[in-house]
Amino acid sequence: MIMEFLFTILAALISIVALGLVSVIVFEAYRRSLNNAHVDAPAIFEDPKSLKQVPCPDIFDPAKKYLSLIIPAFNEEHRLPGALNETMNYLKKREAKDKSFSYEVLIVDDGSRDGTKRVAFDFVKKYGVDKVRAILLGKNHGKGEAIRKGMLHSRGELLLMLDADGATKVTDLEKLENQIHAVARKEHRGDSAACDTTFKISDIPIVAFGSRAHLEEKAIATRKWYRNFLMKGFHLVVLLTAGPGIRDTQCGFKMFTRSAARKLFTNVRLKRWCFDVELVFLCKWFRIPVLEVSVNWSEIPGSKVNLLSIPNMLWELALMSVGYRTQMWKINS
């Protein structure tokens, strides 16, 4: 009798906790359905040299640059300088070879508590506000929100997100770029599109995901056990949430045409680790071609992924599943 009573109490407690968790997920999904606007922060860049405010562009404005590079940064004062130096050296060399090539680098400081802001503004001062810009979110919102903010205020025909640690060589952007151009020509009017003056790469929605899938076997042998556990479990959950098609959703090296970025980043609601999975879901919804392109990648010390990331990832995937399956999260076309 006592055991039956204890079992009944335990079952009741589990039911209450489960019901409470489901209620919290549904409530948060509903709350986000009412407001998927990007975080409130002044849409202004400050020029450190003149201290003048520069009007912030919008993703719905016509492109003013060929390439925008968006780098989210949270407490990255030590890793950011090396990645930025490598990036700027590549961009300057490419600009010198091709006078039609134009670019901008956007550093989005996601509420850093170290010297990340100082590092960012040092590069703005060195290269000028037309080449390098810094957006300050004020407080930490998450990598997804930082990238979203950068995307929504970029000027490029092509928009590349890349991590602040420089884990992927910036030169690999040409692999993604070439694949996008090849598909865009076919999407437009066959190979003759290259000679068509009306052809604009920014007008054709295409996405290219940098992928480390080809390195997976080697990575399993060298990566820490909890990261392998996290990777395998995450792949399974992604398969159940967003469906098959992309082997590596989490590589921080992705390129978007302007029209693709406009559709995707005005709809993304997840703000942290799992926004990439939501991007895959939205690409399928909009029928945007997604290319998976192998890139060179190396693990850089200082990663913020750890065992504590698991609950947050599961939380976001649960929100996404409830939000879209119940149609609480409306998609703006």
Side-chain angles (χ1 to χ4, degrees), residues 62-100:
K64 298 286 183 66
K65 299 284 186 180
Y66 172 70
L67 180 65
S68 293
L69 295 88
I70 294 92
I71 304 176
F74 175 63
N75 293 341
E76 293 285 5
E77 68 170 327
H78 299 298
R79 300 195 297 179
L80 185 60
L84 281 175
N85 279 321
E86 180 184 333
T87 298
M88 296 306 299
N89 287 337
Y90 164 77
L91 293 171
K92 286 190 299 179
K93 288 178 182 177
R94 183 164 171 180
E95 184 182 43
K97 291 179 181 178
D98 180 3
K99 298 303 180 183
S100 67

Side-chain angles (χ1 to χ4, degrees), residues 18-160:
L19 181 61
L21 180 60
V22 170
S23 299
V24 170
I25 291 172
V26 171
F27 174 78
E28 178 62 16
Y30 175 73
R31 188 183 71 82
R32 293 197 189 192
S33 73
L34 301 177
N35 178 24
N36 70 324
H38 54 278
V39 296
D40 293 329
I44 293 291
F45 296 98
E46 186 177 276
D47 185 345
K49 288 186 177 179
S50 64
L51 297 181
K52 291 181 179 179
Q53 292 185 332
V54 180
C56 186
D58 189 271
I59 191 65
F60 289 96
D61 296 337
K64 298 286 183 66
K65 299 284 186 180
Y66 172 70
L67 180 65
S68 293
L69 295 88
I70 294 92
I71 304 176
F74 175 63
N75 293 341
E76 293 285 5
E77 68 170 327
H78 299 298
R79 300 195 297 179
L80 185 60
L84 281 175
N85 279 321
E86 180 184 333
T87 298
M88 296 306 299
N89 287 337
Y90 164 77
L91 293 171
K92 286 190 299 179
K93 288 178 182 177
R94 183 164 171 180
E95 184 182 43
K97 291 179 181 178
D98 180 3
K99 298 303 180 183
S100 67
F101 176 76
S102 59
Y103 68 89
E104 65 173 351
V105 176
L106 282 82
I107 307 158
V108 187
D109 181 2
D110 188 25
S112 299
R113 295 184 295 270
D114 63 357
T116 298
K117 175 183 174 181
R118 172 185 52 77
V119 171
F121 275 103
D122 284 346
F123 277 84
V124 179
K125 291 175 183 177
K126 181 176 181 180
Y127 293 100
V129 75
D130 185 57
K131 299 285 190 186
V132 182
R133 297 183 169 189
I135 301 176
L136 310 178
L137 297 190
K139 64 178 183 179
N140 180 251
H141 293 275
K143 179 182 177 180
E145 187 64 27
I147 290 172
R148 185 176 194 238
K149 186 73 173 179
M151 290 283 176
L152 291 176
H153 295 305
S154 295
R155 296 176 288 170
E157 295 182 55
L158 295 176
L159 295 82
L160 176 76

Side-chain angles (χ1 to χ4, degrees), residues 238-274:
V238 168
L239 183 65
L240 297 173
T241 307
I246 301 297
R247 294 174 63 195
D248 183 6
T249 61
Q250 299 309 111
C251 180
F253 201 76
K254 297 180 175 69
M255 184 176 284
F256 308 81
T257 62
R258 192 169 187 80
S259 58
R262 186 182 300 126
K263 288 177 179 287
L264 297 172
F265 289 97
T266 53
N267 281 290
V268 165
R269 287 175 169 85
L270 297 183
K271 301 178 185 300
R272 294 191 178 275
W273 298 107
C274 291

Side-chain angles (χ1 to χ4, degrees), residues 239-307:
L239 183 65
L240 297 173
T241 307
I246 301 297
R247 294 174 63 195
D248 183 6
T249 61
Q250 299 309 111
C251 180
F253 201 76
K254 297 180 175 69
M255 184 176 284
F256 308 81
T257 62
R258 192 169 187 80
S259 58
R262 186 182 300 126
K263 288 177 179 287
L264 297 172
F265 289 97
T266 53
N267 281 290
V268 165
R269 287 175 169 85
L270 297 183
K271 301 178 185 300
R272 294 191 178 275
W273 298 107
C274 291
F275 80 100
D276 308 78
V277 182
E278 189 178 6
L279 287 175
V280 174
F281 176 87
L282 289 170
C283 284
K284 291 182 178 181
W285 176 274
F286 286 116
R287 297 184 178 179
I288 296 174
V290 180
L291 316 172
E292 193 167 10
V293 183
S294 297
V295 295
N296 296 302
W297 183 87
S298 56
E299 190 165 351
I300 305 297
S303 172
K304 297 177 178 63
V305 177
N306 53 51
L307 284 173

